[in-house]
Each structure stands twice: as structure tokens, then as C-alpha cells.
């Protein structure tokens, strides 16, 4: 390393000369501080992974404990019970977690379930879910080859099942030799389905639950309520006849016989009841 006297001699010869000190050693030390070795890098990565893992575990525990569903509203279901609907929707390991359900059913409903058009699932709170069920519009059913064939207001076969559904009337007296799912029942007179729809709507209006709707070969109508048969005759004045039934059926409870309204009109008011012999 040059002494101060030697530097002065050199500057006298060349006043513009500038001495730059060698900082290579410092730069080397600085580089050693910036660049970690393999062991240090592994340690840093391990610490980061451990932190992320702990954060994930804490988040998981928080979500499980605070987003568990405790309240469920089920609406619109007739064919299935509330419990059956809940089992369909809230299935799987995280089926009772509201965050999981909100992601699973986001912007889509649930279909491909017999008797159900679709089901919408909405999360109303972190512990509350509402399931809206939209069932297929079923007017009645017929039996064929040991199965229950359900049809809608237009006579279209919507479902077939080995089980009978409570609350849906059985229609008897219709003749056909085959059925095809999603196609009309092949009956001789398709207008019979208009009568069936009208009858079921009126029965529902007056909260009457009928077991069977029977059509004779000439399409005369008989309703069967347990042990009581109600002969309505033709479909004319059907609305008025069913309106009268709502007042008479309760008085006939426990009896067995035929209530005849075939000749009933708003003008005649003809009604008779013939009790069956024991």
C-alpha cells in the first residue's frame, strides 16, 4: 500500500490524478450477507411453510366452529319430507357447513331428482340455510304393471315409481296399453285430463283430499273418499258439485255409501245418499 509521501509526489507530477480505493473486500463481505447458503434458504422456506400451515389450521378451525348450520328452512316440498330434502342437499363431509354449501350451489340448483323440477339453496346467515323446492306439477297417477305412473295436467308422464305418494289422487277407469316417460298417456280422449285438472284444483281449493277419481267408459266421474263414493256424473257443473261436497263429507264420516250428485245443478239442488247395507 502506497504511503502518504509517495502519494504527494505522484500528485505533484499529475495534479488531476484521483485515487480510487479498492472496495472489493467490502463488496465481497456485502455479498456474503445478501446471498444465503443452502442451509439458510431451507430454514427460511421451512419457517414460511410452517407459518402458512398454522394460518390454514387456524382458519379451518374457525370456519368449522363458526359456520356450522344449525337452522334449516325447507319450503315447497310435498313428495319428500324435510329430512329427506336436507339429506339430499346437505350431504358429504362438509354438508353442514354454510361456506361449503354456498360454494357448492353457487349459481346453480339441484335437479335430476324424481318428482322435483329443481331445488334452490340460499345461505341466509353463517348458521342458516333456506332450501326452496320446486316439485313437478302432478295432477294424478295411474297404476301400470305394478308401478305408479304420475302425470301432469296435460297427461304427460313425469315420473314412474314403485312407491305411492300421499296426497296425489289415483285415477282409475282409463285404458291404455303402454306408457312412455315424458310423453302423454295414450288414452282415447285426451280431454279427460282437463277434467282431472279441474277436479283436482277444486278439491285443493276446498281442502278436500280424495283417494280416487274414477272415470266410467262414458267418462262419468265418481270421487272416492275412504268409504264414501260421490257420483258426480258428467263434468258439467263440476265446480258447484264439489263446492257442495265440502259441506257434506264431514257429516258422512264413519258411514259407507254413495252420495249422488249426478242430477245436481244450481237450480235443482238434487242430492241423495244411499247407505250400503252392512
Amino acid at each position: 500500500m502506497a504511503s502518504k509521501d509517495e502519494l504527494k509526489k505522484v500528485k505533484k507530477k499529475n495534479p488531476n490524478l484521483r485515487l480510487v480505493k479498492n472496495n472489493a473486500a467490502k463488496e465481497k463481505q456485502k455479498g456474503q450477507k445478501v446471498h444465503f447458503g443452502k442451509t439458510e434458504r431451507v430454514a427460511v422456506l421451512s419457517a414460511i411453510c410452517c407459518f402458512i400451515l398454522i394460518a390454514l389450521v387456524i382458519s379451518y378451525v374457525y370456519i368449522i366452529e363458526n359456520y356450522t348450520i344449525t337452522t334449516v328452512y325447507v319450503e315447497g316440498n310435498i313428495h319428500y319430507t324435510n329430512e329427506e330434502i336436507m339429506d339430499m342437499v346437505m350431504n358429504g363431509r362438509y354438508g353442514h357447513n354454510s361456506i361449503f354449501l354456498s360454494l357448492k350451489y353457487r349459481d346453480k340448483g339441484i335437479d335430476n331428482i324424481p318428482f322435483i323440477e329443481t331445488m334452490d339453496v340460499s345461505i341466509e346467515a353463517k348458521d342458516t340455510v333456506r332450501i326452496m323446492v320446486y316439485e313437478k306439477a302432478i295432477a294424478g297417477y295411474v297404476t301400470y304393471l305394478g308401478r305408479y305412473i304420475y302425470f301432469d295436467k296435460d297427461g304427460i308422464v313425469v315420473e314412474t315409481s314403485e312407491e305411492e305418494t300421499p296426497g296425489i289422487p289415483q285415477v282409475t277407469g282409463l285404458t291404455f296399453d303402454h306408457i312412455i316417460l315424458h310423453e302423454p298417456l295414450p288414452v282415447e280422449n285426451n280431454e279427460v285430463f282437463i277434467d282431472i285438472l279441474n277436479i283436482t284444483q277444486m278439491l285443493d281449493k276446498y281442502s278436500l283430499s280424495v283417494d280416487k277419481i274414477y272415470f266410467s267408459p262414458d267418462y262419468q266421474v265418481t270421487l272416492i273418499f275412504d268409504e264414501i263414493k260421490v257420483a258426480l256424473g258428467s263434468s258439467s257443473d263440476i265446480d258447484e258439485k264439489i263446492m257442495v261436497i265440502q259441506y257434506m263429507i264431514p257429516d258422512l264420516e264413519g258411514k259407507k255409501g254413495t252420495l249422488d250428485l249426478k242430477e245436481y245443478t244450481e237450480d235443482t239442488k238434487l242430492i241423495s245418499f244411499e247407505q250400503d247395507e252392512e
Side-chain angles (χ1 to χ4, degrees), residues 99-165:
I99 291 181
F100 173 80
L101 288 185
S102 66
L103 295 174
K104 183 177 181 180
Y105 298 116
R106 176 179 292 178
D107 300 326
K108 68 175 183 179
I110 306 169
D111 49 19
N112 297 323
I113 298 176
F115 298 99
I116 291 180
E117 196 70 41
T118 188
M119 288 192 291
D120 291 337
V121 181
S122 59
I123 308 301
E124 302 204 337
K126 63 182 182 180
D127 60 351
T128 304
V129 63
R130 184 179 299 274
I131 305 171
M132 183 60 69
V133 182
Y134 299 94
E135 294 195 350
K136 294 178 180 178
I138 297 175
Y141 74 88
V142 296
T143 58
Y144 183 71
L145 298 178
R147 297 184 67 87
Y148 299 95
I149 313 301
Y150 295 88
F151 57 89
D152 65 9
K153 61 183 179 62
D154 298 314
I156 306 296
V157 178
V158 296
E159 293 293 345
T160 68
S161 175
E162 294 180 352
E163 297 181 1
E164 181 182 359
T165 300

Side-chain angles (χ1 to χ4, degrees), residues 83 90 115 121 246 259 272:
E83 290 73 19
M90 304 167 63
F115 298 99
V121 181
Q246 68 169 323
L259 181 65
S272 64

Side-chain angles (χ1 to χ4, degrees), residues 16-35:
N16 297 321
L17 182 65
R18 183 170 65 89
L19 177 64
V20 178
K21 295 183 179 180
N22 185 1
N23 293 324
K26 290 184 179 181
E27 291 295 329
K28 185 177 180 181
Q29 291 177 356
K30 199 179 291 184
Q32 289 176 345
K33 292 180 181 179
V34 173
H35 300 289

